[in-house]
Amino acid sequence: MSKKIVKVPGSRFVCRTELRNRKKITDKKRGLNFRLPQQMERAVETELSVWEREGKIGRLWKRDAKLWTGSDEGRWLDWLTVAARQPRDQGRHADFAREIRAAGFKDAVLLGMGGSSMAPEVLRKVFGRRRGFPELRVLDSTDPEQVAALERKLNIARTLFIVSSKSGSTLETDLLKRYFFNKAAAVAGPLRAGHQFVSITDQDSRLHKLALREKHRHVFLGHKGVGGRFSVLSDFGLMPAALIGVDALKILRNAERMVAMCRPEVPIRENPGAMLGIILGVAAKRFGRDKVTLITSSYLAPFGAWFEQMLAESTGKGGKGLIPVDGESVASPKQYDNDRVFVFITLRGAKNVFGRKSSALERAGHPIVRIVLDDIYGLGGVFFSFQMATAVAGAILGVHPFDQPDVEVNKIITKKFLARISRAGELPAEKPFFRSEDASVFADRKNAKAITAAAPRPRGAALSLPDLIAAHLHRLKSGDYLAFLAYLPRTREYERALAGARAHIRATFHVATSVGFGPRFLHSTGQLFKGGPGSGVFIIITGDDEFDLALPGEPYGLSAVKSAQARGDFEVLNARGRRVIRIHLPRPVGGNLKKLFTILRALKK
């Protein structure tokens, strides 16, 4: 096949396919290119021909559900046009931002989960705080220590609370809203507390009706045909961004340019979203390269959280899925199995710290996708291109990209546990299969039996925690991944410690790694862990909380909610036959966590 380079008119994005043994061509003006091994390139060409012959991009824009599973996919495609509809109302975002500044609010706290929190957090971290605008803080945790740490930073009287929930009935968002509404009422009085609240939700949702009753300062309404994780270019993403001084209209203009490039009138080989989706779908389905590894320049690192949810929650179902890998540093090719696709996203003009490493990965035969942005506002186009790519990859995998069935199952079990606490005052008793001074370890019968049998210890010797962890991780095999699921406060200290453990595991076992803080990840990668391929090995980490925070109108506090979520997560993973253990740490959790990480970093193949 001859080398083909096609520039898209009016765009700096370029789709390029070339054999990896051909001379590399560089062009600083190009925004997107990819390099594929020969066999994969031929498979991508075959798939492209099918999409062209069957007019599949046109069918996608016509909302043909048969492109996926023939279910209700057509209902959830309003994200295709939401960017074009938003600018007409853009003035209200700027007006609202001015109103909030004039009212003297110094902080804005967004209470939301999943799609309602990921996009605002990404935009806050990428764009940073703008002088004269409120500080935006995102709270998507039921950990009492994390909630209390945030509360200590606030002057409640000068804090605006943004309650963001598409359904209007998200458990964590509802509980956090009630907690802080109670705090605001204690300061401003119950009749004026609503003046410190703004809601983002769908028309006629429970939250919408509550906001009207409580007289929230503003209610911003979403689009019913736009799912939560696809809502970044709607008010769910743009209103919080505008509040901190981000030019939301500029984000939308970048998005609209990408929308134009992804329309059916554009040849599919010049469609960045379609090309990316076909590469990812073919790589996973035909070659087992389902670990989509994101590497970004430092400015764009926060994008990884949104990227994780988009791929994991959209494709991880029916035993299939793309497994996003975010937060790993770039290593030498020998540390990677042949199950990766690497996506590099950088800013034009930024120091190229990945050049030699990405070239080494190319030479080793790994598929490489590179995206270069002119500036950070180019994220508007990246958001849409990844949405399109996810929909296309979902069609190739044969999954429904817009639902999240296993997330819903986890919610049901959590509510069951909370109902038990309301009746009996506590969660059902459970017995660990291992206990020491430093930890108690839980597993179902099948996992406990496998680990005990494989633990490397002298005949007759008692099982130790290092033996147990080693036996569990030696269940990893080629094509697997390891996920740490930490129901702990998301602090820099814990994030750094987990990053160190991940690097050691990858270097030792040559597998992809992931980390999620609960309950945040339940609305993101949690769908993939339970509904996707059975290639995951999981370590859930829980701990005794130092204190609890009471919830208005409930017989339990935040600590019980977090425990119910962790127990529910563990129960569903076991029901799905996953290789999972839960390690519970007694107080002091920090000290015992350090011991656990010492054990992990000492592991050998």
Side-chain angles (χ1 to χ4, degrees):
M1 185 188 74
S2 62
K3 177 170 55 186
K4 187 175 182 181
I5 302 174
V6 182
K7 286 191 176 184
V8 182
S11 169
R12 290 184 181 272
F13 281 80
V14 170
C15 297
R16 176 177 68 174
T17 306
E18 50 188 328
L19 303 181
R20 68 180 180 86
N21 63 345
R22 291 190 174 155
K23 183 178 179 181
K24 181 178 178 181
I25 297 177
T26 60
D27 183 338
K28 291 183 179 180
K29 292 184 178 180
R30 291 189 178 133
L32 181 149
N33 65 73
F34 46 87
R35 302 284 295 273
L36 307 177
Q38 292 183 24
Q39 190 177 7
M40 185 179 295
E41 184 180 18
R42 287 194 292 268
V44 166
E45 272 297 316
T46 300
E47 189 68 28
L48 278 168
S49 297
V50 172
W51 278 70
E52 285 178 319
R53 184 172 63 251
E54 299 182 7
K56 289 189 175 183
I57 294 298
R59 289 170 56 192
L60 189 155
W61 279 87
K62 291 178 180 177
R63 304 170 184 244
D64 182 358
K66 293 179 182 178
L67 194 61
W68 296 281
T69 69
S71 182
D72 67 342
E73 288 91 341
R75 290 179 49 206
W76 299 105
L77 287 162
D78 281 358
W79 55 270
L80 289 168
T81 55
V82 71
R85 289 184 295 186
Q86 288 295 111
R88 293 178 298 176
D89 299 323
Q90 195 56 31
R92 64 196 172 93
H93 289 152
D95 291 343
F96 175 65
R98 284 191 290 270
E99 175 191 327
I100 296 306
R101 293 174 69 189
F105 288 109
K106 297 302 181 184
D107 289 286
V109 177
L110 187 139
L111 311 174
M113 301 298 296
S116 298
S117 64
M118 296 294 181
E121 183 176 72
V122 168
L123 294 170
R124 176 185 68 82
K125 288 184 175 181
V126 169
F127 286 91
R129 185 179 184 181
R130 304 300 175 94
R131 187 173 181 180
F133 289 87
E135 173 85 13
L136 178 64
R137 307 175 190 274
V138 176
L139 183 60
D140 54 1
S141 175
T142 53
D143 185 276
E145 184 178 333
Q146 188 167 333
V147 175
L150 172 62
E151 186 179 350
R152 287 192 293 269
K153 297 176 182 178
L154 304 176
N155 177 345
I156 295 293
R158 302 185 73 183
T159 299
L160 181 76
F161 294 95
I162 305 167
V163 189
S164 186
S165 170
K166 179 176 175 62
S167 69
S169 58
T170 306
L171 173 68
E172 300 93 334
T173 306
D174 177 57
L175 294 176
L176 291 170
K177 178 264 164 189
R178 285 155 57 187
Y179 178 83
F180 282 107
F181 195 91
N182 196 51
K183 297 290 182 179
V187 174
L191 296 180
R192 288 195 54 80
H195 199 62
Q196 291 181 233
F197 281 76
V198 169
S199 294
I200 313 175
T201 188
D202 277 0
Q203 179 82 36
D204 297 326
S205 72
R206 195 172 87 181
L207 175 57
H208 183 202
K209 296 172 183 177
L210 178 66
L212 295 177
R213 288 200 305 272
E214 293 180 343
K215 294 181 171 53
H216 290 194
R217 177 183 281 267
H218 282 281
V219 179
F220 293 90
L221 297 177
H223 304 266
K224 286 192 177 293
V226 179
R229 59 187 173 277
F230 286 81
S231 64
V232 59
L233 299 173
S234 73
D235 281 358
F236 285 95
L238 297 179
M239 193 283 286
L243 187 62
I244 58 173
V246 176
D247 187 341
L249 185 56
K250 192 172 181 179
I251 291 177
L252 283 166
R253 285 170 179 159
N254 276 277
E256 285 189 285
R257 283 193 286 271
M258 180 58 67
V259 172
M261 286 188 278
C262 294
R263 287 195 56 80
E265 297 82 8
V266 177
I268 194 168
R269 285 169 174 78
E270 299 172 17
N271 180 329
M275 288 300 301
L276 179 58
I278 287 173
I279 290 170
L280 297 182
V282 168
K285 185 176 181 179
R286 295 282 304 277
F287 300 93
R289 289 185 177 269
D290 58 358
K291 315 302 187 303
V292 185
T293 304
L294 181 70
I295 309 293
T296 72
S297 52
S298 57
Y299 279 108
L300 300 174
F303 174 76
W306 183 90
F307 155 86
E308 275 191 318
Q309 187 195 23
M310 176 54 57
L311 290 191
E313 197 169 40
S314 299
T315 69
K317 53 203 74 168
K320 307 171 186 177
L322 301 176
I323 300 164
V325 182
D326 174 45
E328 282 190 348
S329 57
V330 188
S332 64
K334 65 181 181 181
Q335 290 195 17
Y336 298 108
D337 201 351
N338 293 323
D339 60 350
R340 305 259 192 163
V341 174
F342 292 89
V343 178
F344 289 81
I345 306 181
T346 58
L347 286 173
R348 191 175 311 285
K351 185 178 179 181
N352 184 4
V353 297
F354 305 124
R356 285 186 301 173
K357 292 182 177 180
S358 66
S359 296
L361 292 170
E362 281 184 21
R363 290 192 297 271
H366 292 290
I368 304 291
V369 176
R370 292 187 179 90
I371 298 171
V372 181
L373 305 183
D374 286 334
D375 57 42
I376 54 179
Y377 280 97
L379 275 177
V382 173
F383 285 133
F384 186 84
S385 66
F386 270 83
Q387 289 173 341
M388 175 63 71
T390 300
V392 169
I396 292 171
L397 294 174
V399 299
H400 188 323
F402 313 116
D403 67 356
Q404 47 280 329
D406 294 283
V407 172
E408 302 305 321
V409 170
N410 214 113
K411 292 177 182 179
I412 291 169
I413 293 179
T414 295
K415 290 178 179 178
K416 179 189 74 173
F417 278 128
L418 291 176
R420 165 64 185 256
I421 296 173
S422 296
R423 292 193 311 270
E426 60 183 1
L427 287 167
E430 57 178 348
K431 184 178 179 181
F433 84 95
F434 171 86
R435 190 194 301 271
S436 70
E437 291 183 357
D438 303 326
S440 296
V441 183
F442 300 87
D444 67 1
R445 184 177 299 177
K446 181 179 178 181
N447 278 302
K449 184 178 179 180
I451 292 168
T452 302
R457 65 189 190 280
R459 184 183 297 274
L463 186 67
S464 69
L465 186 59
D467 292 338
L468 185 157
I469 293 173
H472 184 51
L473 293 192
H474 276 86
R475 304 167 83 185
L476 287 163
K477 59 184 185 297
S478 178
D480 285 347
Y481 68 96
L482 175 71
F484 293 103
L485 312 180
Y487 285 85
L488 302 170
R490 186 160 57 105
T491 65
R492 289 183 181 178
E493 178 187 1
Y494 289 170
E495 286 179 327
R496 283 195 296 265
L498 283 163
R502 292 177 69 187
H504 178 75
I505 296 300
R506 182 186 60 190
T508 303
F509 295 94
H510 302 164
V511 298
T513 63
S514 177
V515 63
F517 282 87
R520 168 188 169 97
F521 76 84
L522 292 176
H523 299 259
S524 175
T525 50
Q527 169 62 44
L528 169 79
F529 297 154
K530 300 173 181 71
S535 53
V537 172
F538 303 93
I539 297 178
I540 298 177
I541 305 172
T542 56
D544 289 334
D545 291 324
E546 294 290 339
F547 57 86
D548 198 3
L549 294 175
L551 291 167
E554 300 294 350
Y556 46 77
L558 282 175
S559 182
V561 174
K562 185 182 70 169
S563 295
Q565 291 174 308
R567 291 275 295 271
D569 188 23
F570 184 54
E571 186 172 304
V572 179
L573 286 169
N574 280 316
R576 298 291 187 272
R578 301 309 194 223
R579 291 164 288 174
V580 55
I581 60 174
R582 180 165 67 87
I583 302 175
H584 186 81
L585 305 174
R587 288 190 290 266
V589 171
N592 287 314
L593 192 62
K594 289 180 180 178
K595 295 178 183 178
L596 174 61
F597 288 140
T598 299
I599 293 171
L600 288 166
R601 287 192 294 268
L603 284 172
K604 297 180 180 179
K605 183 70 172 179

